[in-house]
Amino acid sequence: MFGSIKLIFTVLIISSIAGAGMYVMKLRADNATLKANQIQLETAITEQNKVLEQQKEDFTAILESNKKLNVLINTFKKDLQDLDKRFTKKNRDIGKLAIERTESIERIINKGSANATRCVELASGAEHTEAELKATLKSEINPECPALANPNYVPFK
């Protein structure tokens, strides 16, 4: 009877040692998995920080572009108001003038069309010519869009 009790205790001790060994091995495997997950998380955090920095740079660039665009829009609005003032000065009737002074009006309209075409080219990204950049006299500027076509021209009021 004592022999079978010894055998049961021996089997229990061996089973306990084997179970503890298996548990330690499982903990080591879990630890290795957790370390791998930690490395992946740190890599993901680093990449996300890079993405956030790039987004901040992009946002700043967008704000700068927006400021430049607003300045350009305000310039165009001012040019449009100036052009409107020129056409509505003293209740002008362009049709009546065109009948009375056909050659003069044709010359003026053709020159204005050429100037307006150049304004569209510049607004689309064309480079300024040297003459446009050096224009200082009112007779040298493009009167349709002076702020865009002649950036160095300062009108005297």
PDB file of all heavy atoms in Angstrom, residues 117-139:
ATOM      1  N   THR A 117      -5.436  88.913 -74.043  1.00  0.00           N
ATOM      2  CA  THR A 117      -4.877  87.597 -74.355  1.00  0.00           C
ATOM      3  C   THR A 117      -3.578  87.377 -73.583  1.00  0.00           C
ATOM      4  O   THR A 117      -3.333  86.296 -73.040  1.00  0.00           O
ATOM      5  CB  THR A 117      -4.625  87.468 -75.872  1.00  0.00           C
ATOM      6  OG1 THR A 117      -5.863  87.655 -76.566  1.00  0.00           O
ATOM      7  CG2 THR A 117      -4.053  86.117 -76.227  1.00  0.00           C
ATOM      8  N   ARG A 118      -2.757  88.422 -73.520  1.00  0.00           N
ATOM      9  CA  ARG A 118      -1.500  88.307 -72.761  1.00  0.00           C
ATOM     10  C   ARG A 118      -1.791  88.107 -71.274  1.00  0.00           C
ATOM     11  O   ARG A 118      -1.080  87.362 -70.593  1.00  0.00           O
ATOM     12  CB  ARG A 118      -0.627  89.554 -72.992  1.00  0.00           C
ATOM     13  CG  ARG A 118       0.715  89.481 -72.318  1.00  0.00           C
ATOM     14  CD  ARG A 118       1.542  88.326 -72.829  1.00  0.00           C
ATOM     15  NE  ARG A 118       2.795  88.259 -72.096  1.00  0.00           N
ATOM     16  CZ  ARG A 118       3.492  87.158 -71.894  1.00  0.00           C
ATOM     17  NH1 ARG A 118       3.092  86.025 -72.417  1.00  0.00           N
ATOM     18  NH2 ARG A 118       4.607  87.196 -71.205  1.00  0.00           N
ATOM     19  N   CYS A 119      -2.828  88.738 -70.764  1.00  0.00           N
ATOM     20  CA  CYS A 119      -3.214  88.545 -69.361  1.00  0.00           C
ATOM     21  C   CYS A 119      -3.590  87.087 -69.099  1.00  0.00           C
ATOM     22  O   CYS A 119      -3.199  86.515 -68.079  1.00  0.00           O
ATOM     23  CB  CYS A 119      -4.389  89.442 -68.996  1.00  0.00           C
ATOM     24  SG  CYS A 119      -3.989  91.201 -68.968  1.00  0.00           S
ATOM     25  N   VAL A 120      -4.342  86.503 -70.014  1.00  0.00           N
ATOM     26  CA  VAL A 120      -4.736  85.101 -69.866  1.00  0.00           C
ATOM     27  C   VAL A 120      -3.496  84.198 -69.914  1.00  0.00           C
ATOM     28  O   VAL A 120      -3.374  83.249 -69.144  1.00  0.00           O
ATOM     29  CB  VAL A 120      -5.764  84.697 -70.943  1.00  0.00           C
ATOM     30  CG1 VAL A 120      -6.012  83.203 -70.945  1.00  0.00           C
ATOM     31  CG2 VAL A 120      -7.060  85.455 -70.734  1.00  0.00           C
ATOM     32  N   GLU A 121      -2.569  84.498 -70.820  1.00  0.00           N
ATOM     33  CA  GLU A 121      -1.332  83.714 -70.901  1.00  0.00           C
ATOM     34  C   GLU A 121      -0.561  83.777 -69.590  1.00  0.00           C
ATOM     35  O   GLU A 121      -0.089  82.754 -69.083  1.00  0.00           O
ATOM     36  CB  GLU A 121      -0.445  84.228 -72.042  1.00  0.00           C
ATOM     37  CG  GLU A 121      -0.972  83.943 -73.420  1.00  0.00           C
ATOM     38  CD  GLU A 121      -0.153  84.632 -74.517  1.00  0.00           C
ATOM     39  OE1 GLU A 121       0.811  85.363 -74.184  1.00  0.00           O
ATOM     40  OE2 GLU A 121      -0.483  84.440 -75.699  1.00  0.00           O
ATOM     41  N   LEU A 122      -0.428  84.977 -69.030  1.00  0.00           N
ATOM     42  CA  LEU A 122       0.308  85.131 -67.772  1.00  0.00           C
ATOM     43  C   LEU A 122      -0.411  84.439 -66.615  1.00  0.00           C
ATOM     44  O   LEU A 122       0.229  83.823 -65.764  1.00  0.00           O
ATOM     45  CB  LEU A 122       0.520  86.619 -67.461  1.00  0.00           C
ATOM     46  CG  LEU A 122       1.501  87.335 -68.388  1.00  0.00           C
ATOM     47  CD1 LEU A 122       1.445  88.827 -68.159  1.00  0.00           C
ATOM     48  CD2 LEU A 122       2.912  86.813 -68.171  1.00  0.00           C
ATOM     49  N   ALA A 123      -1.727  84.525 -66.583  1.00  0.00           N
ATOM     50  CA  ALA A 123      -2.493  83.865 -65.525  1.00  0.00           C
ATOM     51  C   ALA A 123      -2.385  82.350 -65.636  1.00  0.00           C
ATOM     52  O   ALA A 123      -2.491  81.635 -64.646  1.00  0.00           O
ATOM     53  CB  ALA A 123      -3.955  84.292 -65.585  1.00  0.00           C
ATOM     54  N   SER A 124      -2.134  81.860 -66.853  1.00  0.00           N
ATOM     55  CA  SER A 124      -1.989  80.420 -67.064  1.00  0.00           C
ATOM     56  C   SER A 124      -0.585  79.924 -66.784  1.00  0.00           C
ATOM     57  O   SER A 124      -0.328  78.736 -66.894  1.00  0.00           O
ATOM     58  CB  SER A 124      -2.365  80.064 -68.503  1.00  0.00           C
ATOM     59  OG  SER A 124      -3.702  80.407 -68.750  1.00  0.00           O
ATOM     60  N   GLY A 125       0.335  80.837 -66.464  1.00  0.00           N
ATOM     61  CA  GLY A 125       1.679  80.407 -66.077  1.00  0.00           C
ATOM     62  C   GLY A 125       2.782  80.781 -67.041  1.00  0.00           C
ATOM     63  O   GLY A 125       3.914  80.322 -66.884  1.00  0.00           O
ATOM     64  N   ALA A 126       2.516  81.603 -68.034  1.00  0.00           N
ATOM     65  CA  ALA A 126       3.552  82.021 -68.978  1.00  0.00           C
ATOM     66  C   ALA A 126       4.572  82.917 -68.263  1.00  0.00           C
ATOM     67  O   ALA A 126       4.253  83.581 -67.279  1.00  0.00           O
ATOM     68  CB  ALA A 126       2.929  82.781 -70.151  1.00  0.00           C
ATOM     69  N   GLU A 127       5.774  82.909 -68.747  1.00  0.00           N
ATOM     70  CA  GLU A 127       6.839  83.728 -68.173  1.00  0.00           C
ATOM     71  C   GLU A 127       6.687  85.180 -68.640  1.00  0.00           C
ATOM     72  O   GLU A 127       6.249  85.441 -69.758  1.00  0.00           O
ATOM     73  CB  GLU A 127       8.213  83.202 -68.605  1.00  0.00           C
ATOM     74  CG  GLU A 127       8.533  81.819 -68.073  1.00  0.00           C
ATOM     75  CD  GLU A 127       8.726  81.787 -66.577  1.00  0.00           C
ATOM     76  OE1 GLU A 127       9.251  82.779 -66.023  1.00  0.00           O
ATOM     77  OE2 GLU A 127       8.312  80.799 -65.955  1.00  0.00           O
ATOM     78  N   HIS A 128       7.078  86.119 -67.783  1.00  0.00           N
ATOM     79  CA  HIS A 128       7.061  87.535 -68.154  1.00  0.00           C
ATOM     80  C   HIS A 128       8.197  87.818 -69.135  1.00  0.00           C
ATOM     81  O   HIS A 128       9.273  87.240 -69.032  1.00  0.00           O
ATOM     82  CB  HIS A 128       7.256  88.420 -66.916  1.00  0.00           C
ATOM     83  CG  HIS A 128       6.070  88.450 -66.028  1.00  0.00           C
ATOM     84  ND1 HIS A 128       5.866  87.566 -65.002  1.00  0.00           N
ATOM     85  CD2 HIS A 128       4.988  89.276 -66.020  1.00  0.00           C
ATOM     86  CE1 HIS A 128       4.741  87.845 -64.392  1.00  0.00           C
ATOM     87  NE2 HIS A 128       4.178  88.873 -64.983  1.00  0.00           N
ATOM     88  N   THR A 129       7.933  88.723 -70.065  1.00  0.00           N
ATOM     89  CA  THR A 129       9.002  89.163 -70.954  1.00  0.00           C
ATOM     90  C   THR A 129       9.830  90.215 -70.225  1.00  0.00           C
ATOM     91  O   THR A 129       9.396  90.773 -69.214  1.00  0.00           O
ATOM     92  CB  THR A 129       8.429  89.779 -72.250  1.00  0.00           C
ATOM     93  OG1 THR A 129       7.685  90.948 -71.912  1.00  0.00           O
ATOM     94  CG2 THR A 129       7.559  88.796 -72.994  1.00  0.00           C
ATOM     95  N   GLU A 130      10.996  90.489 -70.765  1.00  0.00           N
ATOM     96  CA  GLU A 130      11.872  91.490 -70.144  1.00  0.00           C
ATOM     97  C   GLU A 130      11.226  92.874 -70.179  1.00  0.00           C
ATOM     98  O   GLU A 130      11.331  93.652 -69.228  1.00  0.00           O
ATOM     99  CB  GLU A 130      13.226  91.507 -70.866  1.00  0.00           C
ATOM    100  CG  GLU A 130      14.309  92.171 -70.068  1.00  0.00           C
ATOM    101  CD  GLU A 130      15.682  91.963 -70.683  1.00  0.00           C
ATOM    102  OE1 GLU A 130      15.968  90.846 -71.119  1.00  0.00           O
ATOM    103  OE2 GLU A 130      16.433  92.935 -70.709  1.00  0.00           O
ATOM    104  N   ALA A 131      10.525  93.169 -71.267  1.00  0.00           N
ATOM    105  CA  ALA A 131       9.860  94.471 -71.388  1.00  0.00           C
ATOM    106  C   ALA A 131       8.758  94.617 -70.332  1.00  0.00           C
ATOM    107  O   ALA A 131       8.570  95.705 -69.784  1.00  0.00           O
ATOM    108  CB  ALA A 131       9.270  94.624 -72.792  1.00  0.00           C
ATOM    109  N   GLU A 132       8.042  93.542 -70.062  1.00  0.00           N
ATOM    110  CA  GLU A 132       6.986  93.600 -69.052  1.00  0.00           C
ATOM    111  C   GLU A 132       7.571  93.840 -67.654  1.00  0.00           C
ATOM    112  O   GLU A 132       7.013  94.582 -66.859  1.00  0.00           O
ATOM    113  CB  GLU A 132       6.178  92.301 -69.044  1.00  0.00           C
ATOM    114  CG  GLU A 132       5.302  92.131 -70.262  1.00  0.00           C
ATOM    115  CD  GLU A 132       4.683  90.755 -70.357  1.00  0.00           C
ATOM    116  OE1 GLU A 132       5.217  89.797 -69.767  1.00  0.00           O
ATOM    117  OE2 GLU A 132       3.648  90.649 -71.036  1.00  0.00           O
ATOM    118  N   LEU A 133       8.686  93.208 -67.374  1.00  0.00           N
ATOM    119  CA  LEU A 133       9.307  93.361 -66.059  1.00  0.00           C
ATOM    120  C   LEU A 133       9.919  94.742 -65.875  1.00  0.00           C
ATOM    121  O   LEU A 133       9.954  95.272 -64.765  1.00  0.00           O
ATOM    122  CB  LEU A 133      10.368  92.283 -65.844  1.00  0.00           C
ATOM    123  CG  LEU A 133       9.844  90.843 -65.748  1.00  0.00           C
ATOM    124  CD1 LEU A 133      11.004  89.862 -65.678  1.00  0.00           C
ATOM    125  CD2 LEU A 133       8.937  90.673 -64.550  1.00  0.00           C
ATOM    126  N   LYS A 134      10.411  95.360 -66.958  1.00  0.00           N
ATOM    127  CA  LYS A 134      11.080  96.658 -66.868  1.00  0.00           C
ATOM    128  C   LYS A 134      10.132  97.841 -67.039  1.00  0.00           C
ATOM    129  O   LYS A 134      10.564  98.982 -66.935  1.00  0.00           O
ATOM    130  CB  LYS A 134      12.187  96.754 -67.916  1.00  0.00           C
ATOM    131  CG  LYS A 134      13.366  95.846 -67.627  1.00  0.00           C
ATOM    132  CD  LYS A 134      14.452  96.026 -68.660  1.00  0.00           C
ATOM    133  CE  LYS A 134      15.658  95.175 -68.345  1.00  0.00           C
ATOM    134  NZ  LYS A 134      16.716  95.336 -69.340  1.00  0.00           N
ATOM    135  N   ALA A 135       8.850  97.572 -67.296  1.00  0.00           N
ATOM    136  CA  ALA A 135       7.907  98.659 -67.557  1.00  0.00           C
ATOM    137  C   ALA A 135       7.766  99.565 -66.342  1.00  0.00           C
ATOM    138  O   ALA A 135       7.482  99.115 -65.244  1.00  0.00           O
ATOM    139  CB  ALA A 135       6.547  98.089 -67.945  1.00  0.00           C
ATOM    140  N   THR A 136       7.992 100.863 -66.567  1.00  0.00           N
ATOM    141  CA  THR A 136       7.858 101.838 -65.475  1.00  0.00           C
ATOM    142  C   THR A 136       6.914 102.969 -65.853  1.00  0.00           C
ATOM    143  O   THR A 136       6.388 103.646 -64.974  1.00  0.00           O
ATOM    144  CB  THR A 136       9.232 102.423 -65.096  1.00  0.00           C
ATOM    145  OG1 THR A 136       9.822 102.991 -66.255  1.00  0.00           O
ATOM    146  CG2 THR A 136      10.137 101.367 -64.497  1.00  0.00           C
ATOM    147  N   LEU A 137       6.708 103.188 -67.131  1.00  0.00           N
ATOM    148  CA  LEU A 137       5.821 104.261 -67.590  1.00  0.00           C
ATOM    149  C   LEU A 137       4.441 103.701 -67.891  1.00  0.00           C
ATOM    150  O   LEU A 137       4.291 102.531 -68.253  1.00  0.00           O
ATOM    151  CB  LEU A 137       6.390 104.908 -68.853  1.00  0.00           C
ATOM    152  CG  LEU A 137       7.783 105.533 -68.724  1.00  0.00           C
ATOM    153  CD1 LEU A 137       8.254 106.033 -70.078  1.00  0.00           C
ATOM    154  CD2 LEU A 137       7.762 106.661 -67.709  1.00  0.00           C
ATOM    155  N   LYS A 138       3.437 104.542 -67.753  1.00  0.00           N
ATOM    156  CA  LYS A 138       2.063 104.114 -68.014  1.00  0.00           C
ATOM    157  C   LYS A 138       1.893 103.644 -69.461  1.00  0.00           C
ATOM    158  O   LYS A 138       1.123 102.737 -69.731  1.00  0.00           O
ATOM    159  CB  LYS A 138       1.100 105.247 -67.689  1.00  0.00           C
ATOM    160  CG  LYS A 138      -0.342 104.827 -67.717  1.00  0.00           C
ATOM    161  CD  LYS A 138      -1.253 105.907 -67.190  1.00  0.00           C
ATOM    162  CE  LYS A 138      -2.679 105.397 -67.198  1.00  0.00           C
ATOM    163  NZ  LYS A 138      -3.600 106.370 -66.652  1.00  0.00           N
ATOM    164  N   SER A 139       2.634 104.250 -70.383  1.00  0.00           N
ATOM    165  CA  SER A 139       2.524 103.873 -71.789  1.00  0.00           C
ATOM    166  C   SER A 139       3.167 102.519 -72.079  1.00  0.00           C
ATOM    167  O   SER A 139       2.921 101.930 -73.119  1.00  0.00           O
ATOM    168  CB  SER A 139       3.174 104.945 -72.667  1.00  0.00           C
ATOM    169  OG  SER A 139       4.555 105.055 -72.349  1.00  0.00           O
TER     170      SER A 139
END
